[in-house]
Amino acid sequence: MKDIFVFVLIMEINYLNLARAEDLPGAKKAGYRFLEILPGLFAWGTLLFGFALSWFWPLGVAIFIIAFDLYWLFRVLYLAAHQIASYRRMQKHIKTGWRAKLEADFSAQWREFYHLVVLPFAGESGEVVRATLDSLAKTDYPKENLIVLLAAEDMPSARRILEEAQKDYGGRFFALWPSIHPKNISGELRGKGANVDWAIGVMQKKFLPATGIPKENIIVSFFDIDTKPYADYFSCLAWHFLKSSNRLRESYQPIPVYNNNIWDAPWMSRIIATSSTFWEMMQQERPEQLVTFSSHSMPLPALLEVGYPRNVVSDDSRIFWRAYFYYGGKYKTTPLYYPVSMDAVLGKNTFRTMINQYKQQRRWAWGVENVPYVFFNLFFSPAAKKISLREKLFHVGTMLEGFWSWATAALLTFGLAWLPLFLGGQNFGTTLLSYNLPRFTSVIMTMAMAGMMISAIISMLLLPPRPKNYGRWRHFSMFLQWLLLPVTLIVFGAFPALESQTRMIINKPLGFWITEKGGKGKK
């Protein structure tokens, strides 16, 4: 009887669909709430204790600063090595003839597989939608094996855009399926995830049965509406999919390169866009940590079994974790080392771009909502017994360190390092450590500049051709902008991360915010 009671209790909780502590009963609710608070507790605790101890124990803070600077130096050099390796692999993959490779390795077998591209949009102009459909039509993959699912929010312009798309592009692919996501559906958090989940449901019930295509032969790619795949993306994806011995238990992650409009974007937007590209490049070199982000792909059977998340903001990473726990830890993300091109943040003017950039970073930092979800599932869900303790601790450590660094590293490096000198008093001010602390910190930061220089060089190599309306100075400014990286890391890195983690502490969830598309920026 006891075992039956425990089983029934477990079944009452939909672990995969958890979004907030309120979704749980009793003690489990309190435990989940603690996990929601935990990342912000670490971040704010580090900063507040560092500030307070600079008064009461400046010697200890100074030693911590030196240790942290050394840790950050090794981390920068370690990531820079991964960045170089990933860049070289990406260039090799761009030059690879993936269509010919498919033919050589899989003969006619690959032609039995179809790509379903899901394009959610809400309020973007028809021009933005057409630009993405054009890029799909130009890829080097048989268009009769390409299906487009246009997923619109229920807005005044949606039906017109869908009708125009059907008229202009319906005959250029195997199919172009439309979907309009209704408003006010119970249990949803209105946003991209809910839109995609609705569109997949429409596709499964209304369109897919009539095609006769086996579900196992469909690979689904989730693209933001500004995503433009490089020519061989679908061939590269199909090759990796067919090459895998466990193809139905893998997601596939390209490298997002934010260069559609990089020449028009202001400096802060360019730095953040390029830094995001570099982070994803480095993550490709660490597949054990790789989680789906932004534009990504997965097999249709897994998607239909797991279900797309419709109640969270960070749906692009949550879909990976849902699959990971659904399959008891036997699911992974495979790096493609192949790029897709996307937009950098660009508003109507520089000030609007700065506001939009902050909001986008805050939305990305809201991925901290995955911390309680992952930790809770790792130890309490039915899948927990199938995952080793070593793997559990790896995910816990990786996630906590990642969000802690996001919120604190720039502030510790460029702010806290000087506090013991100003707040430590006369006794500390006369010590040898006080005299050498700024010198030691400066030397470490100068050595860490090597990582920044590598980023600056690779960023220049990734640039598309300079438009004719820009002179050589614009090209040179693309290199000089990296001198402003410390400011960018604090204002558009640490601050939005701290806000997101603080919102978790005070239980003020972030809603989905749609990045403005089609801005002209300040030239």
Side-chain angles (χ1 to χ4, degrees):
M1 287 294 294
K2 182 179 179 181
D3 291 340
I4 295 175
F5 174 77
V6 171
F7 177 77
V8 171
L9 185 62
I10 290 175
M11 291 302 292
E12 287 178 350
I13 300 174
N14 188 346
Y15 285 89
L16 288 185
N17 209 41
L18 288 175
R20 299 175 61 190
E22 286 74 10
D23 297 335
L24 289 162
K28 284 184 169 60
K29 177 179 179 179
Y32 198 94
R33 185 75 188 102
F34 171 75
L35 293 174
E36 289 179 335
I37 293 171
L38 190 60
L41 191 65
F42 277 177
W44 279 113
T46 300
L47 297 175
L48 293 176
F49 271 103
F51 186 82
L53 291 177
S54 293
W55 263 307
F56 305 116
W57 192 30
L59 178 63
V61 174
I63 294 172
F64 169 78
I65 291 169
I66 293 172
F68 179 82
D69 285 348
L70 287 171
Y71 159 77
W72 197 249
L73 172 63
F74 289 124
R75 180 183 172 89
V76 167
L77 297 178
Y78 166 76
L79 293 177
H82 278 317
Q83 186 178 342
I84 294 171
S86 185
Y87 173 77
R88 294 178 65 181
R89 283 180 184 243
M90 185 178 74
Q91 292 303 308
K92 180 180 179 181
H93 280 215
I94 289 174
K95 296 174 183 177
T96 299
W98 290 103
R99 177 77 175 271
K101 196 170 177 61
L102 270 177
E103 294 277 7
D105 293 347
F106 300 104
S107 186
Q109 178 191 359
W110 69 273
R111 292 183 178 272
E112 300 173 6
F113 290 84
Y114 292 74
H115 293 278
L116 170 63
V117 183
V118 184
L119 297 174
F121 68 97
E124 288 88 356
S125 67
E127 180 183 358
V128 172
V129 176
R130 284 193 298 273
T132 296
L133 292 175
D134 274 338
S135 72
L136 293 176
K138 293 175 181 176
T139 55
D140 185 24
Y141 199 83
K143 304 310 174 292
E144 61 269 22
N145 290 63
L146 207 58
I147 304 167
V148 178
L149 177 55
L150 267 182
E153 290 287 355
D154 188 3
M155 305 181 76
S157 61
R159 295 186 187 277
R160 174 182 56 80
I161 292 174
L162 289 176
E163 289 173 3
E164 291 177 354
Q166 188 69 55
K167 178 182 176 181
D168 297 337
Y169 297 93
R172 302 179 69 177
F173 306 107
F174 176 87
L176 193 153
W177 295 332
S179 166
I180 295 182
H181 178 221
K183 299 177 181 178
N184 304 320
I185 298 178
S186 177
E188 287 187 349
L189 174 67
R190 190 163 177 81
K192 175 187 168 186
N195 185 2
V196 169
D197 179 63
W198 175 267
I200 293 296
V202 171
M203 176 274 301
Q204 184 182 9
K205 294 175 183 177
K206 185 176 180 181
F207 300 121
L208 188 60
T211 67
I213 304 172
K215 292 182 292 186
E216 294 77 13
N217 288 15
I218 298 179
I219 314 166
V220 186
S221 293
F222 305 97
F223 284 177
D224 289 349
I225 196 59
D226 61 330
T227 302
K228 297 178 177 61
Y230 279 46
D232 269 353
Y233 175 77
F234 296 111
S235 296
C236 176
L237 173 58
W239 187 89
H240 281 84
F241 178 77
L242 292 170
K243 193 72 173 177
S244 172
S245 59
N246 197 28
R247 66 181 67 154
L248 298 183
R249 297 293 181 268
E250 295 180 20
S251 285
Y252 302 87
Q253 181 64 53
I255 298 175
V257 180
Y258 298 86
N259 64 1
N260 285 344
N261 57 350
I262 196 71
W263 286 101
D264 296 327
W267 64 268
M268 91 291 298
S269 182
R270 298 195 302 261
I271 293 176
I272 295 168
T274 310
S275 298
S276 300
T277 295
F278 290 161
W279 178 253
E280 288 304 309
M281 288 171 63
M282 291 181 284
Q283 289 296 85
Q284 301 259 318
E285 285 291 304
R286 301 185 292 177
E288 72 282 356
Q289 298 184 27
L290 188 60
V291 174
T292 49
F293 170 77
S294 189
S295 299
H296 55 94
S297 306
M298 70 185 299
L300 180 61
L303 171 63
L304 296 181
E305 287 180 345
V306 172
Y308 202 83
R310 62 192 185 103
N311 57 351
V312 294
V313 172
S314 52
D315 58 279
D316 50 3
S317 52
R318 180 62 62 90
I319 182 60
F320 166 80
W321 289 115
R322 283 174 71 102
Y324 178 83
F325 291 117
Y326 183 88
Y327 296 116
K330 305 303 181 183
Y331 193 88
K332 67 176 185 177
T333 301
T334 296
L336 294 183
Y337 292 100
Y338 197 85
V340 294
S341 182
M342 303 176 71
D343 286 356
V345 172
L346 183 59
K348 295 178 180 178
N349 51 54
T350 299
F351 180 74
R352 182 70 173 268
T353 300
M354 293 175 69
I355 298 298
N356 291 347
Q357 186 68 79
Y358 181 91
K359 288 182 177 180
Q360 186 200 62
Q361 291 297 301
R362 184 180 61 182
R363 189 188 74 198
W364 287 357
W366 189 248
V368 72
E369 68 178 334
N370 284 323
V371 169
Y373 178 84
V374 172
F375 289 12
F376 196 83
N377 273 278
L378 280 174
F379 293 98
F380 299 108
S381 73
K385 295 179 181 180
K386 302 176 183 179
I387 303 170
S388 69
L389 178 61
R390 179 179 179 180
E391 191 167 346
K392 291 176 182 179
L393 294 178
F394 173 79
H395 288 310
V396 167
T398 299
M399 292 190 78
L400 271 183
E401 192 279 334
F403 284 104
W404 176 81
S405 294
W406 194 343
T408 62
L411 293 170
L412 290 174
T413 303
F414 303 109
L416 185 63
W418 309 104
L419 285 180
L421 302 178
F422 295 112
L423 304 178
Q426 185 176 359
N427 289 337
F428 178 73
T430 57
T431 64
L432 184 62
L433 182 58
S434 171
Y435 177 79
N436 287 312
L437 180 61
R439 291 165 175 76
F440 185 83
T441 300
S442 297
V443 170
I444 294 295
M445 290 301 101
T446 301
M447 295 171 66
M449 289 283 284
M452 189 184 77
M453 291 299 296
I454 291 171
S455 295
I457 293 169
I458 295 179
S459 72
M460 302 301 290
L461 297 174
L462 288 175
L463 283 176
R466 186 180 72 240
K468 293 180 180 179
N469 57 315
Y470 289 116
R472 294 183 180 276
W473 166 248
R474 187 71 164 183
H475 212 131
F476 189 54
S477 70
M478 295 283 197
F479 188 85
L480 290 181
Q481 69 190 17
W482 289 94
L483 296 175
L484 298 170
L485 181 63
V487 176
T488 307
L489 289 175
I490 293 174
V491 177
F492 298 103
F495 288 169
L498 276 174
E499 181 185 342
S500 292
Q501 294 178 27
T502 303
R503 282 175 171 270
M504 292 283 282
I505 292 175
I506 63 178
N507 203 17
K508 293 292 183 182
L510 190 69
F512 192 86
W513 178 80
I514 301 169
T515 306
E516 181 180 352
K517 300 289 192 305
K520 298 302 180 183
K522 183 178 179 181
K523 306 290 185 176

